[in-house]
Amino acid sequence: MKVMFAVGEIGLAHERIDRGGKFGGLDTPEFLALNPNGLVPVIEDDGFVLWESNAILRHLARKHPAARLMPDAPHPAADVDRWMEWQSESLAEPCFTIFYQRHRAPPDKRDESKVGPAVAQCARLFAMLGDRLGRHPFICGDHLTLADVCVGVMAYRWFEMAIDRPSQPTVEAWYDRLKQRDAFRRHVMVGLS
Ligand SMILES: N[C@@H](CCC(=O)N[C@@H](CS)C(=O)NCC(=O)O)C(=O)O
């Protein structure tokens, strides 16, 4: 989803092949030759195969600088990197716990006791993001970068999952800004499945 959001922002011509989840196909010899981890996403770019979503995002940003998804200067670039890693290292786990327990797990396998602590943890992390978003409209400044791409995908789940969330006006305003973007609507707002 992160990669498709960036592809949409760049306006990149592509062929998308769905694998994983209900599509399966991650354990075939052909797929494992592309990504021995047996996971999506994977891209093939002029014969160059790349896996790991954040590596793919940085590669696309470097190849398409006009989209301004990653700054050149070391400090602004490190700031974007920081929020990209924060998404995968801090926010993803509690967010997916809620998603799994409330939406994906078969009803007889759900463990409601895991939801409350995960919601509290997400609320704490989104409050930290809210602080940042009080200073400028996007996470790292006045335009969308890979930081918004990564965290935006989590925000979609956070705001659309069936949970009680605390009011966080600056995060809500940023989420409204994302919802106005065609790439976000087309590639991220595709339902909780
Ligand atoms: N660190 C990897 C994680 C990749 C990953 O966990 N992919 C999940 C989807 S988000 C996957 O392929 N799961 C197996 C499936 O969907 O069947 C990345 O960011 O690319």
Side-chain angles (χ1 to χ4, degrees):
M1 207 175 253
K2 289 193 270 186
V3 170
M4 289 312 302
F5 183 9
V7 163
E9 284 292 335
I10 294 165
L12 194 54
H14 64 280
E15 178 194 6
R16 169 173 151 178
I17 302 171
D18 289 316
R19 290 282 184 275
K22 66 181 179 201
F23 300 102
L26 298 180
D27 53 359
T28 64
E30 293 76 19
F31 188 85
L32 291 170
L34 293 175
N35 184 358
N37 296 294
L39 296 169
V40 287
V42 188
I43 65 162
E44 205 171 337
D45 175 20
D46 283 336
F48 174 64
V49 175
L50 185 61
W51 39 265
E52 275 302 328
S53 57
N54 284 358
I56 295 170
L57 291 174
R58 291 184 182 105
H59 169 70
L60 295 178
R62 270 192 294 270
K63 257 193 99 167
H64 303 279
R68 300 204 301 161
L69 293 174
M70 184 56 121
D72 286 329
H75 287 183
D79 190 31
V80 172
D81 267 336
R82 175 212 332 244
W83 289 97
M84 291 175 75
E85 300 313 308
W86 179 81
Q87 178 266 320
S88 48
E89 299 304 317
S90 298
L91 189 58
E93 199 274 324
C95 200
F96 278 116
T97 296
I98 307 167
F99 173 64
Y100 184 76
Q101 298 302 338
R102 278 282 162 91
H103 294 271
R104 180 162 288 172
D108 61 322
K109 297 266 186 313
R110 293 183 186 182
D111 180 353
E112 191 58 26
S113 72
K114 296 200 165 129
V115 173
V119 170
Q121 175 68 351
C122 280
R124 192 182 70 74
L125 293 169
F126 274 110
M128 193 188 299
L129 181 73
D131 235 33
R132 171 54 82 114
L133 287 166
R135 293 183 236 163
H136 26 67
F138 291 95
I139 298 175
C140 294
D142 63 0
H143 67 271
L144 181 129
T145 66
L146 291 183
D148 305 280
V149 167
C150 293
V151 182
V153 166
M154 297 285 101
Y156 172 65
R157 293 187 191 278
W158 173 242
F159 282 109
E160 306 304 328
M161 287 188 297
I163 46 171
D164 284 332
R165 284 169 297 276
S167 160
Q168 294 176 323
T170 59
V171 182
E172 288 156 23
W174 165 76
Y175 183 59
D176 284 341
R177 282 191 278 281
L178 294 184
K179 286 197 290 185
Q180 287 162 26
R181 304 182 80 91
D182 183 57
F184 190 76
R185 282 202 301 272
R186 244 180 334 131
H187 298 296
V188 181
M189 302 180 69
V190 292
L192 293 170
S193 59

